[in-house]
Amino acid sequence: MKLVIKIFLIVFTVHFFFSCDSTEPPPPPETKPTLTLELDDVSCIEAWLQLKTKDLELPAELTLKQYNPTGDSVSHIFLLNTQDSLLYIDSLLPNQNYSFQISSILPQVSSAQQPVTTMDTTSHNFTFQSWTFGTIGSSTLYDVAIINENNIWAVGEIMIADTSQNGYTTYNAVHWDGNEWELKQIPYYYNGQVFYHPIQSVFSFSENDIMFCGNGIINWDGANFRSIGISSGVWGPYQMNKMWGISSNDFYIVGTNGQIAHYNGTNWQRIESGTTLIIGDIWGITDNNKKYLAADNFMLIIDSTNQVQRLASANGLSSIWGINENLIYAAGGSGLYKFKNYDWEKVQEQGTIRIVRGSNYNDVYGLGNSIIGEISHFNGYSWGSISVGTLYTNYSLSVKQNSVATVGWNGDKALITLLFRN
């Protein structure tokens, strides 16, 4: 069992009042310290507990007692120097009921027992089906978004030979309706003209609120595509790589040359990243209103005021994902990493991982750059390999409940694979 303490600084202001009355006031009643444990977060094998104290003289020696499902218990003694702390416990087992209690000897006081039920694991077993697109030249899909298993968008560049003047038509998206794929031309509007440039990224807020970006930004409202203009002073001549947000009136775009921009529904704001490195990915944690970015050898963190913090990381980061700031996954040329409890930890999976995505602590996927039929999957307790039986180059993936979609290319054709958990 490990214990990590996150320190919060609490400042008290004491006001002294002077009186002409010489009568000594009665001594204040003696207060008994209190200890409180609250569950902050839990995975299959870990728990984070908030420890709150009141009227406890510091530093204090405390004992954390862990009651196991087998009926035995384990105790860990540590020195507390702050009123409020975050306690981290690992080496738990999936789908088990535990209980934790904190106590001190001097003074003799204990918290109530805090029950914790760990998450169950998910299955490594999937079925899959793949499709290719393109009949002339070279076609590729760069990104994909699952709205539900019957509504999936994939974007890139697909060339189809036909009898038109050029001898082919270029499409920049395909849409899945649960039965078949339909080729799409999503329009860029510029100076009154329509263009169908390749699209780099797609991000879905709902089935009727979807963002696309590449040479510009486009929104689908369920009925129409509309361009969202962005000035050169905000963005410049740089590639847009990924998007993240909570709605089409509050989202971020990241790209090459350290570019970051935020849209509030009316105006764009350029955010200075402090780097000219490629920012390959962005993912937000809504609970703490922070955004995490993969920028080669840095992880960038954007706070609620759009200020940027840089943290050194493994070289070559290209992707990032998480559901809570306690545990963030980052992927790149040297594999997969966890930023856990404000420190980096190498995941045992080796090789290049281009993108990492998941649905929860017990359902995380790492997609390699050029791997023969393998997708790495963490079920909350162990890593496994999902085989899709083909040689391909991956660019992106999307996860929604028990459905996974991956996109890239195979030879000169765009490739998409849909996986469904058994």
Side-chain angles (χ1 to χ4, degrees):
M1 179 176 68
K2 295 181 181 177
L3 203 65
V4 176
I5 299 178
K6 177 182 177 183
I7 299 174
F8 298 86
L9 181 62
I10 301 178
V11 179
F12 295 92
T13 304
V14 181
H15 296 277
F16 294 92
F17 295 90
F18 295 90
S19 171
C20 295
D21 190 352
S22 60
T23 304
E24 290 292 331
E30 186 175 345
T31 58
K32 186 175 182 179
T34 60
L35 302 173
T36 304
L37 276 182
E38 296 178 358
L39 180 62
D40 180 78
D41 205 6
V42 63
S43 70
C44 294
I45 55 177
E46 303 154 307
W48 291 264
L49 299 172
Q50 285 282 356
L51 167 61
K52 298 181 180 180
T53 71
K54 184 178 180 182
D55 299 322
L56 182 68
E57 185 176 346
L58 300 175
E61 188 176 276
L62 300 183
T63 299
L64 178 68
K65 196 166 188 178
Q66 173 182 317
Y67 298 92
N68 296 321
T70 54
D72 64 341
S73 63
V74 179
S75 296
H76 185 90
I77 300 173
F78 65 97
L79 191 66
L80 181 71
N81 291 296
T82 61
Q83 295 290 339
D84 292 350
S85 302
L86 184 68
L87 308 182
Y88 168 70
I89 301 96
D90 70 353
S91 302
L92 305 178
L93 294 174
N95 196 29
Q96 298 292 318
N97 296 317
Y98 294 86
S99 185
F100 296 89
Q101 187 176 35
I102 197 85
S103 62
S104 67
I105 298 176
L106 292 174
Q108 190 171 1
V109 61
S110 298
S111 71
Q113 289 191 25
Q114 172 61 55
V116 172
T117 300
T118 53
M119 300 174 67
D120 199 359
T121 59
T122 59
S123 172
H124 291 310
N125 297 319
F126 287 77
T127 57
F128 72 92
Q129 186 175 1
S130 296
W131 295 261
T132 57
F133 307 89
T135 59
I136 189 173
S138 181
S139 299
T140 303
L141 289 171
Y142 296 114
D143 201 9
V144 60
I146 302 176
I147 293 86
N148 58 57
E149 63 180 11
N150 297 317
N151 190 354
I152 302 171
W153 288 86
V155 297
E157 183 178 31
I158 298 170
M159 301 174 67
I160 303 295
D162 55 25
T163 59
S164 64
Q165 183 177 356
N166 293 329
Y168 65 90
T169 298
T170 300
Y171 300 85
N172 52 15
V174 290
H175 178 255
W176 173 255
D177 64 3
N179 294 306
E180 61 182 3
W181 292 98
E182 180 184 0
L183 293 167
K184 295 282 189 178
Q185 285 185 310
I186 296 177
Y188 291 98
Y189 297 100
Y190 182 73
N191 288 340
Q193 293 184 298
V194 179
F195 299 90
Y196 301 106
H197 293 299
I199 295 177
Q200 296 290 331
S201 183
V202 55
F203 190 88
S204 168
F205 306 111
S206 70
E207 63 179 342
N208 295 323
D209 193 5
I210 303 174
M211 303 301 303
F212 304 87
C213 75
N215 284 41
I217 303 100
I218 305 161
N219 175 250
W220 167 251
D221 63 8
N224 300 294
F225 294 101
R226 66 182 180 94
S227 294
I228 300 177
I230 181 170
S231 70
S232 59
V234 171
W235 191 260
Y238 304 108
Q239 178 175 298
M240 299 174 180
N241 289 331
K242 279 291 188 287
M243 297 176 289
W244 182 90
I246 59 175
S247 76
S248 54
N249 294 320
D250 184 8
F251 69 92
Y252 293 78
I253 294 178
V254 299
T256 57
N257 199 52
Q259 296 295 297
I260 309 171
H262 174 247
Y263 186 65
N264 65 6
T266 304
N267 299 309
W268 286 98
Q269 175 191 357
R270 176 174 175 166
I271 299 174
E272 296 298 336
S273 66
T275 181
T276 57
L277 297 171
I278 296 173
I279 301 180
D281 200 8
I282 177 172
W283 198 264
I285 308 296
T286 55
D287 287 347
N288 64 2
N289 199 17
K290 289 182 179 179
K291 280 67 62 178
Y292 296 82
L293 292 72
D296 197 7
N297 56 343
F298 289 100
M299 179 175 74
L300 308 181
I301 303 175
I302 304 176
D303 65 17
S304 58
T305 63
N306 284 337
Q307 298 300 305
V308 178
Q309 176 187 4
R310 293 197 303 170
L311 296 177
S313 65
N315 290 331
L317 287 190
S318 59
S319 183
I320 206 154
W321 175 85
I323 61 170
N324 188 293
E325 65 177 332
N326 293 330
L327 175 56
I328 304 293
Y329 281 91
S334 54
L336 197 61
Y337 290 82
K338 296 177 185 178
F339 186 69
K340 186 171 67 175
N341 302 319
Y342 302 93
D343 197 11
W344 289 105
E345 176 183 321
K346 183 74 166 66
V347 175
Q348 290 186 356
E349 295 298 295
Q350 302 295 321
T352 296
I353 303 295
R354 180 180 286 272
I355 189 165
V356 57
R357 288 290 185 265
S359 64
N360 212 324
Y361 290 133
N362 61 351
D363 196 27
V364 183
Y365 302 81
L367 195 61
N369 184 29
S370 296
I371 300 177
I372 301 177
E374 289 186 0
I375 301 170
S376 298
H377 176 242
F378 183 63
N379 71 354
Y381 186 73
S382 65
W383 283 94
S385 178
I386 303 170
S387 175
V388 293
T390 186
L391 175 63
Y392 53 84
T393 295
N394 299 300
Y395 283 114
S396 192
L397 67 83
S398 178
V399 181
K400 180 75 70 168
Q401 297 175 338
N402 290 316
S403 301
V404 181
T406 71
V407 293
W409 58 268
N410 184 358
D412 58 359
K413 297 182 183 298
L415 173 70
I416 185 165
T417 300
L418 298 185
L419 301 95
F420 302 96
R421 196 192 319 271
N422 294 330

